[in-house]
Amino acid sequence: ALSIAADSKYSHLQEQFKKMSGENPIPAFGCQVTIQSEQEKQLVKQFRKEEKRIARREKRDDDVSGDGLPCFDPKEMRMQREYALMNARKEPVLTRERMNYDLIYYPHVYDSHAEARKTSAFIGGTKMLLPEGIERENNKIFEEVRIPVTEPMSLGIEEKPVFMKDLDEIGQLVFKGMKRLNRIQSIVFETAYNTNENMLICAPTGAGKTNIAMLTVLHEIRQHIQQGVIKKDEFKIVYVAPMKALAAEMTNYFSKRLEVLGVSVKELTGDMQLSKGEILRTQMLVTTPEKWDVVTRKSVGDIALSQLVRLLILDEVHLLHEDRGPVLESIVARTLRQV
């Protein structure tokens, strides 16, 4: 009703304007002079105001119809609601949305969990149960479950165990007392011991990731042997541990293993400070992310320490997704840029 009244008012003003200004247009001869009374001026003003108001209303209507909320049909909405309620009877109340995305497979990435998901138990959706022969003991405070040791799975067709007798002299010296590498160590042996490829190892605790790191350390040492002598001033190996306690443990482990080769291993953390000379005389440094981030920001001695790094090992690399992730990221980026 309001729009009809506004349109009729606009048409009425337009007719009055035509009557007062005349139907025939005034011919343009040289200079043109227009004489209007006060009433005509007010009428022209009001006419232009109505034109602008109508234009604004039309523009607002176009915006609402094009980009605004659509017109809802009550019957259609009721039918959609009834259809949704009928489907809800068949579906569970609590569901977990799963994102379907394509996995990207990178070379030299070894993920034991991803391999386990390819087995028939995961594919068929079999429910995981405890094995037979378990022993349960219920106490007032806790329940103890003893699970017997299971036999390891048989090796696949492409899997070949690596025995220590097949390694070179350096490998046999460092891994003295061991007969063979375990399953995951044998799988990654060729890449870790004989190539310079980047590697990502995803395996549970106790799977033997530390010995895989040792394989990469030995590969780096072997590259700097000339005429049976290790050129100790040509390389640096950095092992980044997430905590100081773990750094001390890794320092003790690598020191005992590499002692036969005369390779020096030192801990570099907030509690264990090293002088410039000690750092230069050390071939392997075990440190924390924050400490190594500070050290690599400045030079040590005549040559920047980061330029001598030939191998960087990051333990617990899943920390990238936590608060300390940016520190690890900056370490890797600086190493790639400076080495």
Side-chain angles (χ1 to χ4, degrees):
L2 292 175
S3 61
I4 295 172
D7 292 340
S8 61
K9 182 178 179 182
Y10 174 71
S11 58
H12 176 67
L13 290 172
Q14 191 174 12
E15 289 177 1
Q16 286 187 0
F17 179 73
K18 286 182 179 180
K19 288 179 181 179
M20 298 185 70
S21 60
E23 293 292 336
N24 298 325
I26 302 173
F29 297 115
C31 181
Q32 181 177 346
V33 179
T34 303
I35 301 174
Q36 292 180 341
S37 63
E38 289 294 331
Q39 186 180 2
E40 289 176 343
K41 288 182 181 180
Q42 295 296 330
L43 186 62
V44 170
K45 264 188 197 179
Q46 195 170 0
F47 176 70
R48 289 176 179 171
K49 284 182 181 179
E50 289 297 327
E51 273 188 335
K52 292 179 181 179
R53 189 179 302 165
I54 292 173
R56 285 196 300 268
R57 187 173 69 244
E58 289 178 353
K59 184 179 180 181
R60 186 169 59 251
D61 293 342
D62 291 342
D63 292 341
V64 172
S65 61
D67 301 330
L69 296 174
C71 297
F72 291 102
D73 185 5
K75 293 183 179 179
E76 185 179 355
M77 292 181 64
R78 190 178 299 110
M79 290 178 62
Q80 291 179 358
R81 179 60 178 168
E82 291 177 357
Y83 181 72
L85 291 174
M86 289 178 63
N87 289 337
R89 296 177 183 175
K90 303 176 182 179
E91 297 179 357
V93 178
L94 300 176
T95 59
R96 184 176 64 179
E97 296 181 359
R98 294 185 177 181
M99 297 177 61
N100 296 323
Y101 56 90
D102 297 332
L103 294 177
I104 302 175
Y105 295 95
Y106 296 97
H108 310 297
V109 174
Y110 303 92
D111 190 346
S112 60
H113 181 65
E115 293 296 327
R117 287 165 56 186
K118 297 178 183 178
T119 59
S120 59
F122 279 84
I123 296 174
T126 306
K127 186 177 180 181
M128 297 300 173
L129 299 174
L130 291 174
E132 296 181 356
I134 63 171
E135 298 178 3
R136 292 179 180 269
E137 183 179 347
N138 292 320
N139 297 324
K140 295 181 179 180
I141 303 176
F142 61 91
E143 179 184 5
E144 183 179 355
V145 180
R146 298 187 185 92
I147 302 175
V149 179
T150 57
E151 296 182 359
M153 293 177 59
S154 58
L155 295 177
I157 299 175
E158 299 180 355
E159 297 180 10
K160 295 180 180 179
V162 177
F163 293 91
M164 295 305 167
K165 63 181 181 179
D166 299 331
L167 299 182
D168 53 12
E169 184 180 358
I170 292 179
Q172 292 180 11
L173 285 174
V174 173
F175 289 106
K176 187 178 180 180
M178 294 178 58
K179 294 182 178 180
R180 51 166 286 184
L181 298 178
N182 65 11
R183 189 168 191 168
I184 187 172
Q185 293 164 3
S186 299
I187 292 173
V188 305
F189 171 77
E190 187 62 31
T191 305
Y193 199 68
N194 295 320
T195 67
N196 287 324
E197 297 290 341
N198 296 324
M199 298 175 61
L200 174 63
I201 308 297
C202 303
T205 303
K209 297 188 292 295
T210 306
N211 281 340
I212 296 176
M214 180 62 76
L215 291 174
T216 60
V217 170
L218 293 180
H219 169 68
E220 187 60 40
I221 294 174
R222 288 163 58 216
Q223 290 183 339
H224 298 279
I225 296 179
Q226 295 180 4
Q227 299 178 355
V229 179
I230 301 175
K231 300 295 182 180
K232 300 179 182 179
D233 56 343
E234 292 182 355
F235 68 95
K236 286 285 187 292
I237 300 170
V238 178
Y239 187 100
V240 180
M243 298 177 295
K244 296 178 183 179
L246 186 58
E249 182 182 346
M250 290 296 102
T251 303
N252 187 28
Y253 171 80
F254 285 108
S255 296
K256 290 181 178 179
R257 289 287 184 179
L258 298 175
E259 185 179 3
V260 293
L261 300 179
V263 175
S264 176
V265 182
K266 296 289 185 181
E267 178 186 350
L268 180 61
T269 59
D271 298 337
M272 298 292 294
Q273 300 292 337
L274 298 177
S275 63
K276 295 180 181 180
E278 289 176 333
I279 292 177
L280 292 176
R281 290 192 299 269
T282 302
Q283 287 76 52
M284 183 171 181
L285 294 171
V286 182
T287 181
T288 56
E290 291 77 13
K291 184 64 178 180
W292 187 244
D293 183 33
V294 173
V295 170
T296 53
R297 291 177 186 270
K298 58 183 179 178
S299 298
V300 178
D302 298 331
I303 304 174
L305 177 60
S306 57
Q307 294 179 359
L308 292 174
V309 175
R310 295 293 177 266
L311 176 62
L312 179 64
I313 303 172
L314 299 177
D315 195 2
E316 307 291 344
V317 75
H318 58 267
L319 294 176
L320 276 172
H321 191 56
E322 298 182 5
D323 296 338
R324 303 167 73 186
V327 181
L328 287 176
E329 190 175 355
S330 63
I331 289 172
V332 176
R334 193 177 301 122
T335 303
L336 292 174
R337 186 177 69 252
Q338 295 179 355
V339 173

